[in-house]
């Protein structure tokens, strides 16, 4: 399946039925479920139990299937509890790339599938409920597609804190 189909056409079809916010949420949840399933399969097949090793497998797989590269930022602190914090860039995100290649500019981040897949993978790897959100997106004119991932209880606070520290607020 072409990535443009997932990034643009799928969103448009879902938007017709569920509205823009509903389409974004469905794409996020679909990708999150896929990320969880893929992480379980990889961890079982490779007999990986160490969360850090499972996290390291994610970006390799993600790049191999053509979704994006992953650059994890040094201020990240992934750990198997509610204090988990990950901030990262997805250079060459297939979703942002599809928008840019088709001359489409968005007024909001478009990489919901990237955010969902990553959070699903990391939730399985670390055994803690996680949510991811894209805070800057190349499809809306930002320099990078930057994501923050954390326990849902702390996500909004950690996004605010990161944006302030990074000068994005």
């Amino acid at each position: 399946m072409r990535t443009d189909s997932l990034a643009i056409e799928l969103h448009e079809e879902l938007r017709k039925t569920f509205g823009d916010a509903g389409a974004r949420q469905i794409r996020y949840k679909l990708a999150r479920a896929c990320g969880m399933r893929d992480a379980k399969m990889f961890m079982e097949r490779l007999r990986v139990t160490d969360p850090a090793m499972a996290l390291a497998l994610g970006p390799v797989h993600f790049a191999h299937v053509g979704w994006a590269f992953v650059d994890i930022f040094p201020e990240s602190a992934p750990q198997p509890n509610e204090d988990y914090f990950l901030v990262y860039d997805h250079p060459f995100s297939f979703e942002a790339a599809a928008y840019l290649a088709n001359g489409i500019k968005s007024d909001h981040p478009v990489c919901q599938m990237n955010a969902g897949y990553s959070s699903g993978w990391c939730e399985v790897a670390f055994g803690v409920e996680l949510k991811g959100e894209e805070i800057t997106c190349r499809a809306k004119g930002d320099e990078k597609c930057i994501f923050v991932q954390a326990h849902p209880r702390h996500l909004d606070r950690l996004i605010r804190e990161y944006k302030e520290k990074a000068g994005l607020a």
Side-chain angles (χ1 to χ4, degrees):
M1 180 179 297
R2 291 179 341 99
T3 55
D4 279 19
S5 299
L6 287 173
I8 298 170
E9 280 81 4
L10 176 62
H11 183 82
E12 183 57 26
E13 289 303 313
L14 291 170
R15 186 196 62 73
K16 289 175 186 175
T17 303
F18 302 105
D20 195 56
R24 289 195 305 265
Q25 185 177 41
I26 291 168
R27 289 176 54 241
Y28 175 88
K29 288 184 175 191
L30 172 67
R32 187 173 181 278
C34 292
M36 292 176 83
R37 183 71 178 163
D38 286 356
K40 287 176 188 173
M41 187 235 2
F42 273 84
M43 290 174 68
E44 287 171 5
R45 283 188 184 172
L46 298 174
R47 296 187 177 115
V48 172
T49 58
D50 175 50
M53 179 58 76
L55 174 63
L57 289 172
V60 174
H61 173 67
F62 214 62
H64 179 71
V65 297
W67 278 37
F69 293 149
V70 182
D71 290 335
I72 297 174
F73 293 0
E75 55 268 45
S76 297
Q79 49 195 305
N81 58 46
E82 286 190 17
D83 293 326
Y84 179 102
F85 173 70
L86 197 70
V87 60
Y88 52 98
D89 175 21
H90 276 181
F92 313 110
S93 156
F94 81 89
E95 290 165 292
Y99 273 69
L100 294 170
N102 287 281
I104 303 169
K105 185 160 181 170
S106 178
D107 59 353
H108 55 78
V110 301
C111 304
Q112 287 82 34
M113 295 189 83
N114 278 266
Y117 192 96
S118 296
S119 64
W121 184 286
C122 292
E123 181 168 322
V124 169
F126 284 85
V128 62
E129 182 182 1
L130 297 172
K131 185 175 179 187
E133 187 173 318
E134 185 179 24
I135 60 172
T136 67
C137 183
R138 292 182 318 116
K140 67 184 213 50
D142 296 320
E143 183 181 335
K144 297 179 177 185
C145 293
I146 298 176
F147 300 79
V148 173
Q149 190 179 97
H151 186 276
R153 183 183 346 249
H154 306 295
L155 183 64
D156 290 338
R157 174 182 55 81
L158 290 169
I159 287 173
R160 277 192 315 275
E161 290 174 3
Y162 178 76
K163 282 181 164 184
E164 287 175 15
K165 287 179 186 173
L168 300 172

